Amino acid sequence: MSALKTILYFSLFKYPLTRTEIFQFTDTTDQKVINSEIDMLLDKGVIFNFDGFYIDVNDPDRIERRLKGNEMARNIMPKAVKVSKKIAKFPYVEGVCLSGALSKGFYDDDGDFDFFIITKPNRLWVARTLLVLYKKIFLLNSKKYFCVNYFISTDQLEISEQNLFTATEIATLIPLYGKDTFKAFLESNPWAHPYFPNKPSHKLSTIRETEKSGLSKLIQKLCNGSLGLKLDHFLQKLTIKKWRRKFTHLAKEDFDIAMKSTRHVSKHHPQNYQNKVIKRLGERYSEVVAQYNLKYPETNA
């Protein structure tokens, strides 16, 4: 991926990048090549440099927004880690990672905590339902600090939607609980690495192990047999039925991606952000290349 496409991708989120960050999110392994491209884009007026941050719009306020968001992310991170510890104690949860904007070092007043959760096989829907019930009953359905919208199980860790958006999410995950589980997840998704070969590896030494509460152990003991399997199937069907009733605005093709609900995956992304980002990036990239008569090969997100 070119430096231009990287800058445009993060610009969709109003997030300017440093030269180092641009290099880390390209697939070109020679930083001199990336630096030369950045200089060319500056000379042509395609991008702007504000105090070492690069963006495609002449708006220095975005730098202030980023720096403020970075500081807020640092301040809120201990709370996110505390919430992750609570999630890790739930039955059948094998791994907990931070995703979304916070995992990229940004947080603002409209932000929330997005968690990527890995569960035991055939109990994903039990784990998910218990977490959602906890949020609804004890957190009054607040999504700000307890957004549990993406689950996968350990028996199928490979992400099926393999594109720039999902590769970026994998590269920026912050694993907090389940060291061996997260290592297995990375090994199951080698396709993501070529997108960003310059991105530093995930820090595994600080990942904590999941420790179950007494109540969680009891629930697991009660649900480990055939009863638990039947319950898991029932909760899956019940959830899908509810979502199909609620999100009628989604076409079947979009529903199958944004609200993916299988034995191994549960996604709750009714805005279908992945599709919107990839589509808008392609449009914006084509606009800029044509506007400035740039010579770039055709690429796919």
Side-chain angles (χ1 to χ4, degrees):
M1 185 167 68
S2 67
L4 173 61
K5 184 166 279 191
T6 298
I7 293 168
L8 294 178
Y9 182 90
F10 282 88
S11 183
L12 295 177
F13 304 92
K14 300 181 180 180
Y15 198 80
L17 300 174
T18 65
R19 283 190 182 240
T20 298
E21 289 167 339
I22 294 168
F23 175 64
Q24 288 178 353
F25 284 97
T26 63
D27 57 7
T28 301
T29 55
D30 188 339
Q31 188 154 12
K32 291 181 180 179
V33 172
I34 294 300
N35 284 336
S36 295
E37 183 186 345
I38 292 171
D39 292 337
M40 178 272 290
L41 294 171
L42 286 168
D43 290 341
K44 287 181 174 289
V46 181
I47 63 173
F48 302 87
N49 176 9
F50 298 105
D51 298 324
F53 293 95
Y54 299 86
I55 198 161
D56 66 319
V57 293
N58 189 8
D59 185 3
D61 289 344
R62 289 197 180 183
I63 312 307
E64 183 179 349
R65 175 184 179 274
R66 171 185 164 156
L67 294 175
K68 182 180 178 181
N70 292 159
E71 183 180 3
M72 290 182 69
R74 287 191 292 271
N75 292 337
I76 203 72
M77 186 60 74
K79 184 177 181 69
V81 173
K82 187 176 180 180
V83 174
S84 74
K85 182 178 181 180
K86 189 166 293 185
I87 294 173
K89 290 182 179 295
F90 270 69
Y92 301 114
V93 171
E94 294 286 282
V96 183
C97 304
L98 266 174
S99 61
L102 186 55
S103 72
K104 298 165 186 64
F106 184 86
Y107 190 83
D108 60 16
D109 293 333
D110 297 323
D112 54 22
F113 296 171
D114 290 307
F115 291 100
F116 177 72
I117 299 169
I118 305 175
T119 73
K120 284 183 177 292
N122 294 314
R123 296 297 184 275
L124 182 154
W125 294 94
V126 171
R128 186 191 182 283
T129 302
L130 289 171
L131 282 162
V132 170
L133 286 175
Y134 174 82
K135 181 184 71 171
K136 288 181 179 296
I137 296 171
F138 296 100
L139 303 181
L140 304 179
N141 206 28
S142 171
K143 300 176 182 178
K144 190 168 184 64
Y145 302 127
F146 208 84
C147 193
V148 288
N149 289 340
Y150 202 154
F151 293 76
I152 63 172
S153 62
T154 55
D155 55 338
Q156 193 167 310
L157 292 170
E158 182 180 16
I159 302 298
S160 58
E161 297 88 19
Q162 299 179 3
N163 54 50
L164 177 59
F165 183 91
T166 51
T168 303
E169 293 307 302
I170 289 174
T172 55
L173 283 174
I174 299 179
L176 297 171
Y177 281 88
K179 183 176 181 179
D180 290 340
T181 300
F182 187 72
K183 285 172 66 177
F185 171 75
L186 292 180
E187 291 168 359
S188 298
N189 290 279
W191 61 268
H193 179 73
Y195 276 88
F196 313 120
N198 314 309
K199 188 80 170 64
S201 301
H202 291 86
K203 193 173 182 180
L204 303 180
S205 60
T206 58
I207 303 177
R208 305 156 182 83
E209 293 305 320
T210 58
E211 296 181 5
K212 302 305 174 191
S213 65
L215 178 59
S216 289
K217 291 178 180 178
L218 176 61
I219 293 173
Q220 289 188 172
K221 186 176 181 181
L222 293 173
C223 294
N224 277 345
S226 59
L227 177 64
L229 184 58
K230 290 178 181 177
L231 177 62
D232 200 72
H233 279 281
F234 170 76
L235 293 173
Q236 178 190 5
K237 291 179 181 179
L238 185 67
T239 304
I240 294 173
K241 185 177 180 181
K242 174 187 173 184
W243 286 350
R244 289 197 183 281
R245 242 186 357 252
K246 185 175 182 180
F247 303 113
T248 54
H249 67 283
L250 290 173
K252 184 181 185 306
E253 181 179 321
D254 293 330
F255 184 91
D256 290 344
I257 294 175
M259 310 298 294
K260 192 170 186 178
S261 308
T262 71
R263 297 302 302 153
H264 314 283
V265 179
S266 169
K267 291 169 64 177
H268 184 274
H269 299 152
Q271 301 304 317
N272 202 7
Y273 210 44
Q274 175 185 159
N275 184 57
K276 291 179 180 178
V277 168
I278 292 174
K279 181 180 179 181
R280 181 55 189 144
L281 175 63
E283 294 171 346
R284 180 68 180 134
Y285 181 76
S286 297
E287 290 168 3
V288 173
V289 169
Q291 180 181 351
Y292 294 93
N293 195 28
L294 302 175
K295 304 301 180 184
Y296 280 105
E298 294 266 340
T299 59
N300 296 315

